[in-house]
Amino acid sequence: MPEESLHGRGVFLPSHHLLSDGEIELMVRVFNSLGVHKVRLTGGEPLLRPGFVELVSRISAIDGITDLALTTNGVLLPRYAAALKKAGLSRITVSLDSLDETIFRKMAGGRGTVSEVMNGIKAAEEAGFEHLKINTVVQRNVNDHTVNDLVAHFRNSGHTIRLIEFMDVGNVNHWDRELVVPNAELLKAIHQRWPLRPVAKQPVGETARRYAFTDGAGEIGFISSITEPFCGDCSRARVTADGVFYSCLFSARGTELRDKIRNGLDAEALTEVLRDLWRKRADRYSELRNQLPRTQPHVEMYRMGG
């Protein structure tokens, strides 16, 4: 969460504003009945939630959920990785923008260290998570010159670097198109050093374009929401920790569900609400970005994750 979002007060949502584990489980079961089988727990930093391992256990026990993933900064993985594996977590994505300590701290708001993240990755490996995804948001003249160091480090590791174009998510990340490094530029530079080939079969709806190193050293992914929008293939819905549904990462407004549930909305009625919301979605922000006002508001990234 960007420090300026708290206005220097350090005020967070009271716990009763957040969905309970039972309410989250209810939502997952309803989404599953509508065809959702992949769930990602993100944030903020989800490992800060009290009882998080038990929540993972409850979601993983739902028959129709075949892929339960976590996005984390990795700092708390030494404490929780083994328990998460035992609870049924399928996959882990770790955010790591640079191996350079100074650049890392700048991009992470001065919190955490590279060594803490690397210790978290090691803990995940030891717990049995053999194939992590490493998410790296690339900004021009900030960390773009350190991308090859990351790629070199994680080649042959079994983990996959995913390079993400700097996106205008939220209103406080100081986005500027001049800071965007097109993934085509990164792909060309990496290919010149380590030849790549496109992965032949890539599932519809996946956000990353995957490439394999021709020498067998693994894969790399490119998420290009700015230069190559994929709105037409998007099949992702998001629910915030306080129960607001969003059908797009770039939404300005969502639909409040928490109070509806607390006022007696049952699973059958919730199913109809979600079905109706999905039928009516017409999100195309990334495709229309250049035609829209620069001042158009978005929900903050820390409220609904990536």
Side-chain angles (χ1 to χ4, degrees), residues 19-20 22-28 30 239 243 256-267 269-270 274:
L19 293 171
S20 68
E23 289 165 342
I24 292 174
E25 182 182 350
L26 169 64
M27 284 202 182
V28 173
V30 169
V239 178
E256 194 283 321
L257 299 176
R258 180 198 63 204
D259 290 346
K260 290 182 173 63
I261 292 172
R262 292 180 181 177
N263 289 330
L265 191 74
D266 62 13
L270 179 58
L274 293 175

Side-chain angles (χ1 to χ4, degrees), residues 212-256:
F213 294 103
T214 59
D215 63 1
E219 288 189 6
I220 187 169
F222 297 86
I223 299 177
S224 311
S225 178
I226 303 298
T227 61
E228 298 180 48
F230 39 80
C231 300
D233 288 338
C234 180
S235 59
R236 293 169 185 238
R238 294 168 174 84
V239 178
T240 64
D242 55 344
V244 181
F245 170 93
Y246 292 93
S247 58
C248 178
L249 183 63
F250 301 99
S251 296
R253 293 178 301 277
T255 300
E256 194 283 321

Side-chain angles (χ1 to χ4, degrees), residues 66-262:
T66 59
D67 188 348
L68 177 57
L70 164 71
T71 297
T72 174
N73 63 23
V75 172
L76 293 175
L77 283 176
R79 188 183 307 176
Y80 294 116
L84 289 168
K85 186 68 174 179
K86 186 176 181 180
L89 187 69
S90 308
R91 297 185 293 113
I92 295 177
T93 297
V94 175
S95 301
L96 177 61
D97 292 325
S98 179
L99 294 177
D100 181 286
E101 193 68 58
T102 300
I103 296 171
F104 172 87
R105 289 184 64 80
K106 177 181 179 181
M107 297 185 73
R111 292 176 172 81
T113 64
V114 172
S115 61
E116 285 179 309
V117 178
M118 299 304 286
N119 287 339
I121 291 172
K122 181 180 179 181
E125 293 170 339
E126 292 174 346
F129 294 98
E130 298 178 353
H131 304 293
L132 305 185
K133 290 180 179 176
I134 311 297
N135 275 1
T136 301
V137 177
V138 182
Q139 297 184 38
R140 192 174 299 282
N141 299 325
V142 179
N143 67 331
D144 54 330
H145 61 290
T146 69
V147 167
N148 275 3
D149 295 335
L150 271 167
V151 176
H153 181 88
F154 286 103
R155 273 171 40 86
N156 289 307
S157 69
H159 309 319
T160 300
I161 291 280
R162 300 202 304 177
L163 301 177
I164 304 171
E165 291 179 344
F166 183 38
M167 293 183 286
D168 49 337
V169 179
N171 312 283
V172 297
N173 71 343
H174 311 297
W175 186 82
D176 187 323
R177 183 174 285 277
E178 295 301 314
L179 296 176
V180 177
V181 181
N183 270 336
E185 181 180 321
L186 294 173
L187 172 60
K188 180 179 179 181
I190 294 167
H191 178 70
Q192 287 176 343
R193 182 167 178 183
W194 300 288
L196 295 163
R197 58 172 176 78
V199 173
K201 294 184 178 181
Q202 304 194 31
V204 174
E206 289 298 315
T207 58
R209 290 184 297 115
R210 295 162 51 205
Y211 288 79
F213 294 103
T214 59
D215 63 1
E219 288 189 6
I220 187 169
F222 297 86
I223 299 177
S224 311
S225 178
I226 303 298
T227 61
E228 298 180 48
F230 39 80
C231 300
D233 288 338
C234 180
S235 59
R236 293 169 185 238
R238 294 168 174 84
V239 178
T240 64
D242 55 344
V244 181
F245 170 93
Y246 292 93
S247 58
C248 178
L249 183 63
F250 301 99
S251 296
R253 293 178 301 277
T255 300
E256 194 283 321
L257 299 176
R258 180 198 63 204
D259 290 346
K260 290 182 173 63
I261 292 172
R262 292 180 181 177

Side-chain angles (χ1 to χ4, degrees), residues 1-8 172-174:
M1 183 183 294
E3 191 160 5
E4 59 261 41
S5 69
L6 299 176
H7 307 293
V172 297
N173 71 343
H174 311 297

Side-chain angles (χ1 to χ4, degrees), residues 36-47:
V36 172
H37 61 90
K38 298 174 69 173
V39 172
R40 177 172 295 276
L41 300 167
T42 178
E45 175 47 53
L47 292 180

